[in-house]
Amino acid sequence: MVERYKLEEIVEINGTTEDKLLTTLLEVQSASELNYISQEDAEFIAEKFGIPLNRIYEVISFYSMLSMKPRGKHIIEVCKSSACHVRKGKNLLKMLEDILGIKAGEATSDNNFYIEEVNCFGACDKAPAIKIGNDIYGNLDRKKLTEIINRYWEA
């Protein structure tokens, strides 16, 4: 759940017209420590926008980058596009799952990492690739992947 003052600030900056709903939801999710939109946050947004709560749920369920489920501090996106698939992207996912001890769609017990399989994020030249936040990593082996994970674990 996002602090009330932060929710107020996000809504005030963006405004409450329907065309600002997606932006607002994305910012609220980013402000959440575990990268999700809580029930309370969704209710607050619906009230501020003057729209039914089910409209908020429709938008969240339509866009794969939005979630009402706590996901973790660092979301690791594993590309499953054709380019990554052909270049052994499933092996990369398996290595990541082994290193973290979780499967895609799960968070580590400390909620530090969440693994998510996604469609192409434009790093075909680095296939197979992962994305953590805005950082893209490619051409990975187990050693490089472990080093990257350790950097984020310490952050």
Side-chain angles (χ1 to χ4, degrees), residues 76 95-102 108 113-115 149 153:
I76 304 172
M95 282 189 288
L96 190 55
E97 290 174 339
D98 289 347
I99 291 166
L100 294 173
I102 59 173
T108 53
F113 294 99
Y114 178 87
I115 302 173
I149 296 302
W153 225 311

CSV table of all heavy atoms in Angstrom, one decimal, residues 76 95-102 108 113-115 149 153:
chain,number,residue,atom,x,y,z
A,76,ILE,N,12.2,-9.1,-12.3
A,76,ILE,CA,13.1,-9.5,-13.4
A,76,ILE,C,12.2,-10.0,-14.5
A,76,ILE,O,11.5,-11.0,-14.4
A,76,ILE,CB,14.0,-10.7,-12.9
A,76,ILE,CG1,14.8,-10.2,-11.6
A,76,ILE,CG2,14.9,-11.1,-14.0
A,76,ILE,CD1,15.6,-11.3,-11.0
A,95,MET,N,18.1,-21.1,-15.3
A,95,MET,CA,19.2,-20.6,-14.5
A,95,MET,C,18.8,-19.6,-13.4
A,95,MET,O,19.1,-19.7,-12.2
A,95,MET,CB,20.3,-20.0,-15.3
A,95,MET,CG,21.2,-20.9,-16.1
A,95,MET,SD,22.6,-20.1,-16.8
A,95,MET,CE,21.8,-19.2,-18.2
A,96,LEU,N,17.9,-18.7,-13.8
A,96,LEU,CA,17.4,-17.6,-12.9
A,96,LEU,C,16.6,-18.3,-11.8
A,96,LEU,O,16.7,-17.9,-10.6
A,96,LEU,CB,16.6,-16.6,-13.7
A,96,LEU,CG,16.2,-15.4,-13.1
A,96,LEU,CD1,17.4,-14.6,-12.5
A,96,LEU,CD2,15.5,-14.5,-14.1
A,97,GLU,N,15.7,-19.2,-12.2
A,97,GLU,CA,14.9,-19.9,-11.2
A,97,GLU,C,15.8,-20.7,-10.2
A,97,GLU,O,15.5,-20.7,-9.0
A,97,GLU,CB,13.9,-20.8,-11.9
A,97,GLU,CG,12.8,-20.1,-12.7
A,97,GLU,CD,11.9,-21.0,-13.5
A,97,GLU,OE1,12.3,-22.1,-13.8
A,97,GLU,OE2,10.8,-20.6,-13.8
A,98,ASP,N,16.8,-21.3,-10.7
A,98,ASP,CA,17.7,-22.1,-9.8
A,98,ASP,C,18.5,-21.1,-8.9
A,98,ASP,O,18.6,-21.4,-7.7
A,98,ASP,CB,18.8,-22.9,-10.7
A,98,ASP,CG,18.1,-24.0,-11.4
A,98,ASP,OD1,17.0,-24.4,-11.1
A,98,ASP,OD2,18.8,-24.6,-12.3
A,99,ILE,N,19.0,-20.0,-9.4
A,99,ILE,CA,19.7,-19.1,-8.6
A,99,ILE,C,18.8,-18.5,-7.4
A,99,ILE,O,19.2,-18.4,-6.3
A,99,ILE,CB,20.3,-17.9,-9.4
A,99,ILE,CG1,21.4,-18.5,-10.3
A,99,ILE,CG2,20.8,-16.8,-8.5
A,99,ILE,CD1,21.8,-17.5,-11.4
A,100,LEU,N,17.6,-18.1,-7.8
A,100,LEU,CA,16.7,-17.5,-6.8
A,100,LEU,C,15.8,-18.5,-6.0
A,100,LEU,O,15.2,-18.1,-5.0
A,100,LEU,CB,15.8,-16.5,-7.5
A,100,LEU,CG,16.5,-15.3,-8.1
A,100,LEU,CD1,15.6,-14.4,-9.0
A,100,LEU,CD2,17.2,-14.4,-7.0
A,101,GLY,N,15.7,-19.7,-6.5
A,101,GLY,CA,14.9,-20.7,-5.8
A,101,GLY,C,13.4,-20.5,-6.0
A,101,GLY,O,12.7,-20.9,-5.1
A,102,ILE,N,13.0,-19.8,-7.0
A,102,ILE,CA,11.6,-19.6,-7.3
A,102,ILE,C,11.3,-19.9,-8.8
A,102,ILE,O,12.2,-20.0,-9.6
A,102,ILE,CB,11.2,-18.2,-7.0
A,102,ILE,CG1,12.0,-17.1,-7.7
A,102,ILE,CG2,11.2,-17.9,-5.5
A,102,ILE,CD1,11.5,-15.7,-7.6
A,108,THR,N,10.7,-14.1,-4.3
A,108,THR,CA,11.6,-14.7,-3.3
A,108,THR,C,10.9,-14.4,-1.9
A,108,THR,O,10.1,-13.5,-1.7
A,108,THR,CB,13.0,-14.1,-3.3
A,108,THR,OG1,12.9,-12.6,-3.2
A,108,THR,CG2,13.7,-14.5,-4.6
A,113,PHE,N,12.9,-10.2,-5.1
A,113,PHE,CA,12.9,-10.4,-6.5
A,113,PHE,C,11.6,-11.1,-6.9
A,113,PHE,O,11.0,-11.9,-6.1
A,113,PHE,CB,14.0,-11.4,-7.0
A,113,PHE,CG,15.4,-10.8,-6.8
A,113,PHE,CD1,16.2,-11.0,-5.7
A,113,PHE,CD2,15.8,-9.9,-7.8
A,113,PHE,CE1,17.4,-10.5,-5.6
A,113,PHE,CE2,17.1,-9.3,-7.7
A,113,PHE,CZ,17.9,-9.6,-6.5
A,114,TYR,N,11.1,-10.8,-8.1
A,114,TYR,CA,10.0,-11.5,-8.7
A,114,TYR,C,10.3,-11.8,-10.2
A,114,TYR,O,10.9,-10.9,-10.9
A,114,TYR,CB,8.8,-10.5,-8.7
A,114,TYR,CG,7.5,-11.1,-9.3
A,114,TYR,CD1,6.6,-11.9,-8.6
A,114,TYR,CD2,7.2,-10.8,-10.6
A,114,TYR,CE1,5.4,-12.4,-9.1
A,114,TYR,CE2,6.0,-11.3,-11.2
A,114,TYR,CZ,5.2,-12.1,-10.4
A,114,TYR,OH,4.0,-12.5,-11.0
A,115,ILE,N,10.1,-13.0,-10.6
A,115,ILE,CA,10.4,-13.4,-12.0
A,115,ILE,C,9.1,-13.3,-12.8
A,115,ILE,O,8.1,-13.9,-12.4
A,115,ILE,CB,11.0,-14.8,-12.1
A,115,ILE,CG1,12.3,-14.9,-11.3
A,115,ILE,CG2,11.3,-15.1,-13.6
A,115,ILE,CD1,12.8,-16.3,-11.2
A,149,ILE,N,22.5,-10.6,-10.2
A,149,ILE,CA,21.5,-10.8,-9.1
A,149,ILE,C,22.1,-10.3,-7.8
A,149,ILE,O,21.5,-9.7,-7.0
A,149,ILE,CB,21.1,-12.3,-9.1
A,149,ILE,CG1,20.3,-12.7,-10.3
A,149,ILE,CG2,20.3,-12.5,-7.8
A,149,ILE,CD1,19.1,-11.9,-10.6
A,153,TRP,N,20.7,-7.7,-5.1
A,153,TRP,CA,20.4,-8.2,-3.7
A,153,TRP,C,21.0,-7.2,-2.7
A,153,TRP,O,20.4,-7.0,-1.7
A,153,TRP,CB,20.9,-9.6,-3.5
A,153,TRP,CG,19.9,-10.5,-2.9
A,153,TRP,CD1,19.2,-10.2,-1.7
A,153,TRP,CD2,19.5,-11.8,-3.3
A,153,TRP,NE1,18.4,-11.2,-1.4
A,153,TRP,CE2,18.6,-12.2,-2.4
A,153,TRP,CE3,19.9,-12.6,-4.3
A,153,TRP,CZ2,18.0,-13.5,-2.4
A,153,TRP,CZ3,19.3,-13.8,-4.4
A,153,TRP,CH2,18.4,-14.3,-3.5
